[in-house]
Each structure stands twice: as C-alpha cells, then as structure tokens.
Amino acid sequence: MKVVVLTGAGISAESGLPTFRDADGLWEGHDPMQVASPEAFEDDPDLVHRFYDARRTALGRVQPNAAHQALARLEEHLGGDLYLVTQNIDDLHERGGSRRVHHMHGRLRAAWCTVCDERHHWEDDLGDRPPCPGCGAEALRPDVVWFGEVPYGMDEVQRALFECDLFVAIGTSGLVYPAAAFVHYAIGAGAGTLELNLEGTGGDFAQVREGPATENVPAWVEEILAR
Ligand code: BJW
C-alpha cells in the first residue's frame, strides 16, 4: 500500500509550536500570515527576520511528540511506500526519527542567499545580517516559501499523489494552496482519503477523525502496523 502523508502546523502544536490560524493570533501586533510574504520582507526586513529568528530560537526548546514519532515508525514499516510531505518548516519530523521528509515550504534551519542563490544550513539569527558563507553578501533570507512563491518539489509530490492508495492529512487547515488541493489529486487517482485533525476542516475527505494529533496519529499508525 502506497501512502502519502501531508502534515501541517497542528502536528507540532502539542510540542509547543503555535499554529498559524488557531493561536491567540498576533505576533508583535502583526498577523503572522502578513509577515510570511515577500512584500512584508521588502517593506520591513527587520520585522520579518525577528519573526523567523524567534521561531528558530523556539525550535531549540521543543521536542518531537508522539505523532512525529508514530510517523517515523510508519516509515520503518512501509519504507519507500510512505511519502511524507510537510508544510512545516520545523525539523520535528527528522528529530522524531523520520528519514525522508519533503519540506514543501522550506526549512527554518536553512538560509538562502539572494545574491549567489546558495542555500546553507543555519542555526543562528539572520536579523544581524551575517555574510553568506559562499559569496560574502549580506543578503541571506530564511529559506522558506512565502505567499506568491512556488513551493519546493511539486512535481515529486504530484507523482506521489497520483500513485498513492491512501492520502492522509494531519493537522492542517486546508486553507493554503497547493497543499489544500492534494486531497483532490488523491481522489482523482482513486485513493482513499483520511483527515486527522483536532476539528474536521470540512474538506472532501472520505473519513475524518477528530482529536489531538498525539492521540489520533499513533492510534492510526498502530492500525496500519497491525494489518
Ligand atoms: C491540530 C492540533 C492538534 C491544531 N492536533 N490538529 C486563491 C485561490 C487559490 C489559491 C490562491 C488564491 N490566492 C492566492 C493563492 C495562492 C496562495 C494561497 O493559498 N493563498 C490562500 C491564503 C488562499 N498560495 C501560494 O501563494 C503558494 N504558492 C503557490 O500557489 O504557487 C503557485 C504554484 C503552486 C504549485 C505549482 C506551481 C505554482 C505558496 C504558499 C506558501 C505558504 N507559506 C506559509 C509560510 C511558510 C513559512 C512559515 O512557516 O512561516 O506556510 S503560510 C502558512 O500556512 C505556512 C503553513 O505551512 C501554511 C499552512 O498552514 P497550516 O499548517 O495548515 O496551519 P493552520 O494554522 O492553518 O492550521 C492548523 C490546523 O491544525 C488547524 O486545522 C487545527 O484544527 C489543527 N490543529 N492543533 C491536530 N493538537
């Protein structure tokens, strides 16, 4: 059985990382969604750097939870028949034991030089404009995908969706494209579809299980392992 799992901010919520749309809302008086755009970066790069620097720092203080760990067990069981694609820029899947994770919206612990186009592993702040290790330009930005930019590796994701038998979306509101359309690709391919979310999103999934990811995901994975 070929399975595609899509994860969103909800899977990391119980690790202590806020989601975009459920949380108490504002960050330094701004809607986080307004900060995640190239226009915001152009208008106020210091603000946008502060937002991502704070999140990169927070990442060092949180741990993967039972849902991330369950997906790592699923990978051990299914091997190459599991395709895990995440919208999250945190590294909790990797730290939870997953080896193959496709980060379609980039990674918090990576920096992209807008002058030489190189990408670098990055643990520190970017707000103080460190030079690019490749070319020396002070032009590093977070290596993340903002609104209006093209998510990474979409051809590969589409191939996996067209070939899958089951598509599972975990902890995502289904409000942001192209990830919001994955369920339709999977339906078009004749796959089963399952949503695991604190609350159903009203999407076109054949089956919806409501509840926290740390309970729902391990329970679902155990069902697959028992088959
Ligand atoms: C729990 C839980 C618990 C809580 N257990 N569950 C009009 C129509 C259609 C499309 C567009 C349109 N106008 C513009 C567009 C395109 C635009 C878009 O979608 N806009 C919408 C606002 C309409 N999209 C884009 O621009 C994308 N690019 C694009 O389309 O390029 C064209 C192209 C595509 C493909 C091929 C070729 C060309 C780019 C989108 C980039 C999004 N970037 C961000 C920021 C990334 C960096 C960062 O992290 O800061 O990605 S925005 C933000 O939203 C982030 C997230 O990954 C993304 C999705 O959020 P997510 O994960 O769903 O979080 P929430 O908070 O929304 O939901 C959390 C869920 O968890 C909730 O459902 C809770 O119930 C649940 N939950 N606790 C289980 N304990």
Side-chain angles (χ1 to χ4, degrees), residues 9-64:
I11 196 168
S12 298
E14 291 163 85
S15 289
L17 297 179
T19 65
F20 288 89
R21 296 170 185 82
D22 326 286
D24 11 21
L26 298 183
W27 173 83
E28 283 195 14
H30 303 270
D31 175 352
M33 299 311 296
Q34 301 299 322
V35 186
S37 78
E39 293 76 19
F41 189 57
E42 207 174 303
D43 289 352
D44 193 346
D46 288 336
L47 173 81
V48 175
H49 275 311
R50 276 206 305 283
F51 178 60
Y52 286 96
D53 286 348
R55 289 172 64 192
R56 201 176 299 104
T57 302
L59 200 48
R61 300 196 192 109
V62 300
Q63 298 300 328

CSV table of all heavy atoms in Angstrom, one decimal, residues 9-64:
chain,number,residue,atom,x,y,z
A,9,ALA,N,0.8,22.6,10.6
A,9,ALA,CA,1.2,23.1,11.9
A,9,ALA,C,0.6,22.4,13.1
A,9,ALA,O,1.2,22.3,14.2
A,9,ALA,CB,0.8,24.6,12.0
A,10,GLY,N,-0.6,21.8,12.9
A,10,GLY,CA,-1.3,21.1,14.0
A,10,GLY,C,-0.5,19.9,14.6
A,10,GLY,O,-0.6,19.6,15.8
A,11,ILE,N,0.4,19.3,13.8
A,11,ILE,CA,1.1,18.1,14.3
A,11,ILE,C,2.2,18.6,15.3
A,11,ILE,O,2.6,17.8,16.2
A,11,ILE,CB,1.7,17.2,13.2
A,11,ILE,CG1,2.1,15.9,13.8
A,11,ILE,CG2,2.9,17.9,12.5
A,11,ILE,CD1,2.4,14.8,12.8
A,12,SER,N,2.6,19.8,15.2
A,12,SER,CA,3.7,20.3,16.1
A,12,SER,C,3.1,21.1,17.2
A,12,SER,O,3.8,21.6,18.1
A,12,SER,CB,4.7,21.2,15.3
A,12,SER,OG,5.3,20.4,14.3
A,13,ALA,N,1.8,21.3,17.2
A,13,ALA,CA,1.2,22.2,18.3
A,13,ALA,C,1.4,21.7,19.7
A,13,ALA,O,1.7,22.4,20.6
A,13,ALA,CB,-0.3,22.3,18.0
A,14,GLU,N,1.3,20.4,19.8
A,14,GLU,CA,1.4,19.8,21.2
A,14,GLU,C,2.9,19.7,21.6
A,14,GLU,O,3.2,19.4,22.8
A,14,GLU,CB,0.8,18.4,21.3
A,14,GLU,CG,-0.8,18.5,21.2
A,14,GLU,CD,-1.4,17.2,20.9
A,14,GLU,OE1,-1.7,16.4,21.8
A,14,GLU,OE2,-1.7,17.0,19.7
A,15,SER,N,3.8,20.0,20.7
A,15,SER,CA,5.2,20.2,21.1
A,15,SER,C,5.5,21.6,21.6
A,15,SER,O,6.6,21.9,22.1
A,15,SER,CB,6.1,19.9,19.8
A,15,SER,OG,6.1,18.5,19.5
A,16,GLY,N,4.5,22.5,21.4
A,16,GLY,CA,4.6,23.8,21.9
A,16,GLY,C,4.9,24.9,20.8
A,16,GLY,O,5.2,26.0,21.1
A,17,LEU,N,4.7,24.5,19.5
A,17,LEU,CA,4.9,25.5,18.5
A,17,LEU,C,3.5,25.9,18.0
A,17,LEU,O,2.6,25.1,17.7
A,17,LEU,CB,5.6,24.9,17.2
A,17,LEU,CG,7.0,24.4,17.5
A,17,LEU,CD1,7.7,23.8,16.3
A,17,LEU,CD2,7.9,25.6,18.0
A,18,PRO,N,3.2,27.3,18.1
A,18,PRO,CA,1.9,27.7,17.7
A,18,PRO,C,1.5,27.5,16.3
A,18,PRO,O,2.4,27.5,15.4
A,18,PRO,CB,1.9,29.2,18.0
A,18,PRO,CG,3.4,29.6,18.2
A,18,PRO,CD,4.2,28.3,18.4
A,19,THR,N,0.3,27.2,16.0
A,19,THR,CA,-0.2,27.1,14.6
A,19,THR,C,-0.4,28.5,14.0
A,19,THR,O,-0.2,29.5,14.8
A,19,THR,CB,-1.5,26.3,14.5
A,19,THR,OG1,-2.5,27.1,15.2
A,19,THR,CG2,-1.4,25.0,15.2
A,20,PHE,N,-0.7,28.6,12.8
A,20,PHE,CA,-0.9,29.9,12.2
A,20,PHE,C,-2.3,30.5,12.5
A,20,PHE,O,-2.4,31.7,12.8
A,20,PHE,CB,-0.8,29.9,10.6
A,20,PHE,CG,0.7,29.6,10.2
A,20,PHE,CD1,1.1,28.3,10.1
A,20,PHE,CD2,1.5,30.7,10.0
A,20,PHE,CE1,2.5,28.1,9.8
A,20,PHE,CE2,2.8,30.5,9.7
A,20,PHE,CZ,3.3,29.2,9.6
A,21,ARG,N,-3.3,29.7,12.4
A,21,ARG,CA,-4.6,30.3,12.4
A,21,ARG,C,-5.4,30.0,13.7
A,21,ARG,O,-6.4,30.6,13.9
A,21,ARG,CB,-5.4,29.8,11.2
A,21,ARG,CG,-4.7,30.3,9.9
A,21,ARG,CD,-5.3,29.7,8.6
A,21,ARG,NE,-4.5,30.2,7.5
A,21,ARG,CZ,-3.3,29.8,7.1
A,21,ARG,NH1,-2.8,28.7,7.7
A,21,ARG,NH2,-2.6,30.3,6.1
A,22,ASP,N,-5.0,29.1,14.6
A,22,ASP,CA,-5.8,28.8,15.8
A,22,ASP,C,-5.3,29.7,16.9
A,22,ASP,O,-6.1,29.9,17.9
A,22,ASP,CB,-5.7,27.4,16.3
A,22,ASP,CG,-5.6,26.3,15.3
A,22,ASP,OD1,-6.6,26.1,14.7
A,22,ASP,OD2,-4.5,25.8,15.3
A,23,ALA,N,-4.1,30.0,16.9
A,23,ALA,CA,-3.5,30.6,18.1
A,23,ALA,C,-4.1,31.9,18.5
A,23,ALA,O,-5.0,32.4,17.8
A,23,ALA,CB,-2.0,30.7,17.9
A,24,ASP,N,-3.6,32.4,19.6
A,24,ASP,CA,-4.2,33.7,20.1
A,24,ASP,C,-4.0,34.8,19.1
A,24,ASP,O,-4.4,35.9,19.2
A,24,ASP,CB,-3.7,34.1,21.5
A,24,ASP,CG,-2.5,33.2,21.9
A,24,ASP,OD1,-1.9,32.6,21.0
A,24,ASP,OD2,-2.2,33.1,23.1
A,25,GLY,N,-3.3,34.5,18.0
A,25,GLY,CA,-3.3,35.4,16.9
A,25,GLY,C,-2.1,36.3,16.6
A,25,GLY,O,-1.4,35.9,15.7
A,26,LEU,N,-1.9,37.3,17.4
A,26,LEU,CA,-0.9,38.3,16.9
A,26,LEU,C,0.5,38.0,17.4
A,26,LEU,O,0.7,37.4,18.5
A,26,LEU,CB,-1.4,39.6,17.4
A,26,LEU,CG,-2.7,40.1,16.8
A,26,LEU,CD1,-3.0,41.5,17.3
A,26,LEU,CD2,-2.7,40.1,15.3
A,27,TRP,N,1.4,38.4,16.6
A,27,TRP,CA,2.8,38.3,17.0
A,27,TRP,C,3.4,39.7,16.8
A,27,TRP,O,3.3,40.3,15.7
A,27,TRP,CB,3.6,37.3,16.1
A,27,TRP,CG,5.0,37.4,16.3
A,27,TRP,CD1,5.7,36.7,17.3
A,27,TRP,CD2,6.0,38.1,15.6
A,27,TRP,NE1,7.1,37.0,17.2
A,27,TRP,CE2,7.2,37.9,16.1
A,27,TRP,CE3,5.9,39.0,14.5
A,27,TRP,CZ2,8.4,38.5,15.7
A,27,TRP,CZ3,7.1,39.6,14.0
A,27,TRP,CH2,8.3,39.3,14.6
A,28,GLU,N,3.9,40.3,17.9
A,28,GLU,CA,4.3,41.7,17.9
A,28,GLU,C,3.2,42.6,17.3
A,28,GLU,O,3.6,43.5,16.5
A,28,GLU,CB,5.6,41.9,17.2
A,28,GLU,CG,6.8,41.4,18.0
A,28,GLU,CD,8.2,41.9,17.4
A,28,GLU,OE1,8.2,42.8,16.6
A,28,GLU,OE2,9.2,41.4,17.8
A,29,GLY,N,2.0,42.3,17.5
A,29,GLY,CA,0.9,43.1,16.9
A,29,GLY,C,0.6,42.9,15.5
A,29,GLY,O,-0.2,43.6,14.9
A,30,HIS,N,1.2,41.8,14.9
A,30,HIS,CA,1.0,41.5,13.5
A,30,HIS,C,0.4,40.2,13.3
A,30,HIS,O,0.7,39.2,14.1
A,30,HIS,CB,2.3,41.5,12.7
A,30,HIS,CG,3.1,42.8,12.8
A,30,HIS,ND1,3.0,43.8,12.0
A,30,HIS,CD2,4.0,43.2,13.7
A,30,HIS,CE1,3.7,44.8,12.3
A,30,HIS,NE2,4.4,44.4,13.4
A,31,ASP,N,-0.4,40.0,12.3
A,31,ASP,CA,-1.0,38.7,11.9
A,31,ASP,C,0.2,37.9,11.3
A,31,ASP,O,0.8,38.4,10.4
A,31,ASP,CB,-2.1,38.9,10.9
A,31,ASP,CG,-2.6,37.6,10.3
A,31,ASP,OD1,-2.0,36.6,10.6
A,31,ASP,OD2,-3.6,37.7,9.5
A,32,PRO,N,0.5,36.8,11.8
A,32,PRO,CA,1.7,36.0,11.3
A,32,PRO,C,1.6,35.8,9.8
A,32,PRO,O,2.6,35.8,9.1
A,32,PRO,CB,1.6,34.7,12.0
A,32,PRO,CG,0.7,34.9,13.2
A,32,PRO,CD,-0.1,36.0,12.9
A,33,MET,N,0.4,35.7,9.3
A,33,MET,CA,0.2,35.5,7.8
A,33,MET,C,0.7,36.7,7.0
A,33,MET,O,1.1,36.6,5.9
A,33,MET,CB,-1.2,35.2,7.5
A,33,MET,CG,-1.8,34.0,8.2
A,33,MET,SD,-0.7,32.6,7.9
A,33,MET,CE,-0.8,32.4,6.2
A,34,GLN,N,0.6,37.9,7.7
A,34,GLN,CA,1.1,39.1,7.0
A,34,GLN,C,2.6,39.2,6.9
A,34,GLN,O,3.2,39.9,6.1
A,34,GLN,CB,0.5,40.4,7.6
A,34,GLN,CG,-1.0,40.4,7.7
A,34,GLN,CD,-1.6,40.4,6.3
A,34,GLN,OE1,-1.1,41.0,5.4
A,34,GLN,NE2,-2.7,39.7,6.2
A,35,VAL,N,3.2,38.5,7.9
A,35,VAL,CA,4.7,38.5,7.9
A,35,VAL,C,5.3,37.5,7.0
A,35,VAL,O,6.4,37.7,6.5
A,35,VAL,CB,5.1,38.2,9.4
A,35,VAL,CG1,6.6,38.4,9.5
A,35,VAL,CG2,4.4,39.1,10.4
A,36,ALA,N,4.5,36.5,6.6
A,36,ALA,CA,5.0,35.4,5.7
A,36,ALA,C,4.8,35.8,4.3
A,36,ALA,O,4.1,35.0,3.5
A,36,ALA,CB,4.3,34.1,6.1
A,37,SER,N,5.4,36.9,3.8
A,37,SER,CA,5.2,37.3,2.4
A,37,SER,C,6.4,38.0,1.9
A,37,SER,O,7.1,38.7,2.7
A,37,SER,CB,4.0,38.1,2.2
A,37,SER,OG,4.2,39.4,2.6
A,38,PRO,N,6.7,38.0,0.6
A,38,PRO,CA,7.9,38.7,0.1
A,38,PRO,C,7.7,40.2,0.2
A,38,PRO,O,8.6,41.0,0.4
A,38,PRO,CB,7.9,38.3,-1.4
A,38,PRO,CG,7.0,37.2,-1.6
A,38,PRO,CD,6.1,37.1,-0.4
A,39,GLU,N,6.4,40.6,0.2
A,39,GLU,CA,6.1,42.1,0.3
A,39,GLU,C,6.5,42.6,1.7
A,39,GLU,O,7.1,43.6,1.9
A,39,GLU,CB,4.6,42.4,0.0
A,39,GLU,CG,4.2,42.1,-1.4
A,39,GLU,CD,4.0,40.6,-1.8
A,39,GLU,OE1,3.8,39.8,-0.8
A,39,GLU,OE2,4.0,40.3,-3.0
A,40,ALA,N,6.1,41.8,2.7
A,40,ALA,CA,6.4,42.1,4.1
A,40,ALA,C,8.0,42.2,4.2
A,40,ALA,O,8.5,43.1,4.9
A,40,ALA,CB,5.9,41.1,5.1
A,41,PHE,N,8.7,41.3,3.6
A,41,PHE,CA,10.1,41.3,3.7
A,41,PHE,C,10.7,42.5,3.1
A,41,PHE,O,11.7,43.1,3.6
A,41,PHE,CB,10.7,40.0,3.1
A,41,PHE,CG,12.1,39.7,3.4
A,41,PHE,CD1,12.6,39.7,4.7
A,41,PHE,CD2,13.0,39.6,2.3
A,41,PHE,CE1,14.0,39.4,4.9
A,41,PHE,CE2,14.4,39.3,2.6
A,41,PHE,CZ,14.9,39.3,3.9
A,42,GLU,N,10.2,42.9,1.9
A,42,GLU,CA,10.7,44.0,1.2
A,42,GLU,C,10.4,45.3,2.1
A,42,GLU,O,11.2,46.2,2.2
A,42,GLU,CB,10.0,44.1,-0.1
A,42,GLU,CG,10.8,44.9,-1.2
A,42,GLU,CD,10.2,44.8,-2.5
A,42,GLU,OE1,9.9,43.7,-3.0
A,42,GLU,OE2,9.9,45.9,-3.1
A,43,ASP,N,9.2,45.4,2.6
A,43,ASP,CA,8.8,46.6,3.4
A,43,ASP,C,9.5,46.7,4.7
A,43,ASP,O,9.9,47.8,5.1
A,43,ASP,CB,7.3,46.5,3.7
A,43,ASP,CG,6.4,46.7,2.5
A,43,ASP,OD1,7.0,47.0,1.5
A,43,ASP,OD2,5.2,46.5,2.6
A,44,ASP,N,9.7,45.6,5.4
A,44,ASP,CA,10.2,45.7,6.8
A,44,ASP,C,11.0,44.4,7.0
A,44,ASP,O,10.6,43.5,7.8
A,44,ASP,CB,9.1,45.8,7.8
A,44,ASP,CG,9.6,46.2,9.1
A,44,ASP,OD1,10.8,46.1,9.4
A,44,ASP,OD2,8.8,46.6,10.0
A,45,PRO,N,12.3,44.3,6.4
A,45,PRO,CA,13.0,43.1,6.6
A,45,PRO,C,13.4,42.8,8.1
A,45,PRO,O,13.4,41.6,8.5
A,45,PRO,CB,14.3,43.3,5.8
A,45,PRO,CG,14.3,44.7,5.4
A,45,PRO,CD,12.9,45.2,5.5
A,46,ASP,N,13.6,43.8,8.9
A,46,ASP,CA,13.9,43.6,10.3
A,46,ASP,C,12.8,42.9,11.0
A,46,ASP,O,13.0,41.9,11.8
A,46,ASP,CB,14.2,44.9,11.0
A,46,ASP,CG,15.5,45.6,10.6
A,46,ASP,OD1,16.4,44.8,10.1
A,46,ASP,OD2,15.6,46.8,10.7
A,47,LEU,N,11.6,43.3,10.8
A,47,LEU,CA,10.4,42.7,11.4
A,47,LEU,C,10.3,41.2,11.0
A,47,LEU,O,10.2,40.3,11.8
A,47,LEU,CB,9.1,43.4,10.9
A,47,LEU,CG,7.8,42.7,11.4
A,47,LEU,CD1,7.5,43.1,12.8
A,47,LEU,CD2,6.7,43.1,10.5
A,48,VAL,N,10.5,40.9,9.7
A,48,VAL,CA,10.4,39.5,9.2
A,48,VAL,C,11.5,38.7,9.8
A,48,VAL,O,11.3,37.6,10.2
A,48,VAL,CB,10.3,39.5,7.7
A,48,VAL,CG1,10.3,38.1,7.2
A,48,VAL,CG2,9.1,40.2,7.2
A,49,HIS,N,12.7,39.2,9.8
A,49,HIS,CA,13.8,38.5,10.4
A,49,HIS,C,13.6,38.2,11.9
A,49,HIS,O,13.8,37.1,12.4
A,49,HIS,CB,15.1,39.3,10.3
A,49,HIS,CG,15.8,39.0,8.9
A,49,HIS,ND1,16.1,37.8,8.4
A,49,HIS,CD2,16.4,39.9,8.0
A,49,HIS,CE1,16.7,37.9,7.2
A,49,HIS,NE2,16.9,39.2,7.0
A,50,ARG,N,13.0,39.2,12.6
A,50,ARG,CA,12.7,38.9,14.0
A,50,ARG,C,11.7,37.8,14.2
A,50,ARG,O,11.9,36.9,15.1
A,50,ARG,CB,12.1,40.2,14.7
A,50,ARG,CG,13.1,41.2,15.2
A,50,ARG,CD,12.6,42.1,16.3
A,50,ARG,NE,11.4,42.8,16.0
A,50,ARG,CZ,11.3,43.9,15.3
A,50,ARG,NH1,12.3,44.4,14.7
A,50,ARG,NH2,10.1,44.4,15.1
A,51,PHE,N,10.7,37.7,13.3
A,51,PHE,CA,9.7,36.7,13.4
A,51,PHE,C,10.4,35.3,13.2
A,51,PHE,O,10.2,34.4,14.0
A,51,PHE,CB,8.7,36.9,12.3
A,51,PHE,CG,7.6,35.9,12.1
A,51,PHE,CD1,6.7,35.7,13.2
A,51,PHE,CD2,7.4,35.2,10.9
A,51,PHE,CE1,5.7,34.7,13.0
A,51,PHE,CE2,6.4,34.3,10.8
A,51,PHE,CZ,5.5,34.0,11.8
A,52,TYR,N,11.2,35.2,12.2
A,52,TYR,CA,11.8,33.9,11.9
A,52,TYR,C,13.0,33.6,12.9
A,52,TYR,O,13.1,32.4,13.3
A,52,TYR,CB,12.3,33.8,10.5
A,52,TYR,CG,11.1,33.6,9.6
A,52,TYR,CD1,10.5,34.7,8.9
A,52,TYR,CD2,10.5,32.3,9.4
A,52,TYR,CE1,9.4,34.5,8.1
A,52,TYR,CE2,9.4,32.2,8.7
A,52,TYR,CZ,8.8,33.2,8.0
A,52,TYR,OH,7.7,33.1,7.3
A,53,ASP,N,13.7,34.6,13.4
A,53,ASP,CA,14.8,34.3,14.4
A,53,ASP,C,14.1,33.8,15.6
A,53,ASP,O,14.7,32.9,16.3
A,53,ASP,CB,15.6,35.6,14.6
A,53,ASP,CG,16.5,36.0,13.5
A,53,ASP,OD1,16.7,35.1,12.6
A,53,ASP,OD2,17.0,37.1,13.4
A,54,ALA,N,13.0,34.4,16.0
A,54,ALA,CA,12.3,34.0,17.3
A,54,ALA,C,11.8,32.5,17.1
A,54,ALA,O,12.0,31.7,18.1
A,54,ALA,CB,11.1,34.9,17.6
A,55,ARG,N,11.3,32.2,16.0
A,55,ARG,CA,10.8,30.8,15.8
A,55,ARG,C,12.0,29.8,15.7
A,55,ARG,O,11.9,28.7,16.2
A,55,ARG,CB,10.0,30.7,14.5
A,55,ARG,CG,8.6,31.4,14.7
A,55,ARG,CD,7.9,31.5,13.4
A,55,ARG,NE,7.5,30.2,12.8
A,55,ARG,CZ,7.0,30.1,11.6
A,55,ARG,NH1,6.9,31.1,10.8
A,55,ARG,NH2,6.7,28.9,11.2
A,56,ARG,N,13.2,30.3,15.1
A,56,ARG,CA,14.3,29.4,15.1
A,56,ARG,C,14.8,29.1,16.5
A,56,ARG,O,15.2,28.0,16.9
A,56,ARG,CB,15.4,30.0,14.2
A,56,ARG,CG,16.4,29.0,13.7
A,56,ARG,CD,17.5,29.6,12.7
A,56,ARG,NE,16.9,30.2,11.6
A,56,ARG,CZ,16.7,31.5,11.3
A,56,ARG,NH1,17.1,32.4,12.2
A,56,ARG,NH2,16.1,32.0,10.2
A,57,THR,N,14.8,30.2,17.3
A,57,THR,CA,15.3,30.0,18.7
A,57,THR,C,14.3,29.1,19.5
A,57,THR,O,14.7,28.2,20.2
A,57,THR,CB,15.3,31.4,19.4
A,57,THR,OG1,16.2,32.2,18.7
A,57,THR,CG2,15.7,31.3,20.9
A,58,ALA,N,13.0,29.3,19.2
A,58,ALA,CA,12.0,28.4,19.9
A,58,ALA,C,12.1,26.9,19.5
A,58,ALA,O,11.9,26.1,20.4
A,58,ALA,CB,10.6,28.9,19.6
A,59,LEU,N,12.6,26.7,18.3
A,59,LEU,CA,12.8,25.3,17.9
A,59,LEU,C,13.7,24.5,18.7
A,59,LEU,O,13.6,23.3,19.0
A,59,LEU,CB,13.3,25.4,16.4
A,59,LEU,CG,13.1,24.2,15.5
A,59,LEU,CD1,11.7,23.6,15.6
A,59,LEU,CD2,13.4,24.6,14.1
A,60,GLY,N,14.7,25.3,19.2
A,60,GLY,CA,15.7,24.6,20.1
A,60,GLY,C,15.2,24.2,21.4
A,60,GLY,O,15.8,23.4,22.2
A,61,ARG,N,14.0,24.7,21.8
A,61,ARG,CA,13.4,24.4,23.1
A,61,ARG,C,12.3,23.4,23.1
A,61,ARG,O,11.7,23.1,24.1
A,61,ARG,CB,12.8,25.7,23.7
A,61,ARG,CG,13.8,26.8,23.9
A,61,ARG,CD,13.3,27.9,24.8
A,61,ARG,NE,14.1,29.1,24.7
A,61,ARG,CZ,13.7,30.3,24.2
A,61,ARG,NH1,12.5,30.4,23.7
A,61,ARG,NH2,14.5,31.3,24.1
A,62,VAL,N,12.0,22.9,21.9
A,62,VAL,CA,10.8,22.0,21.8
A,62,VAL,C,11.3,20.6,21.3
A,62,VAL,O,12.4,20.5,20.8
A,62,VAL,CB,9.7,22.5,20.9
A,62,VAL,CG1,9.1,23.8,21.4
A,62,VAL,CG2,10.2,22.7,19.5
A,63,GLN,N,10.5,19.6,21.6
A,63,GLN,CA,10.8,18.2,21.2
A,63,GLN,C,9.7,17.7,20.4
A,63,GLN,O,8.6,18.1,20.5
A,63,GLN,CB,10.9,17.4,22.5
A,63,GLN,CG,12.0,17.8,23.5
A,63,GLN,CD,13.4,17.8,22.9
A,63,GLN,OE1,13.7,16.9,22.0
A,63,GLN,NE2,14.3,18.7,23.3
A,64,PRO,N,10.1,16.7,19.5
A,64,PRO,CA,9.0,16.0,18.8
A,64,PRO,C,8.1,15.3,19.7
A,64,PRO,O,8.4,15.0,20.9
A,64,PRO,CB,9.8,14.9,18.0
A,64,PRO,CG,11.2,14.9,18.5
A,64,PRO,CD,11.4,16.2,19.3
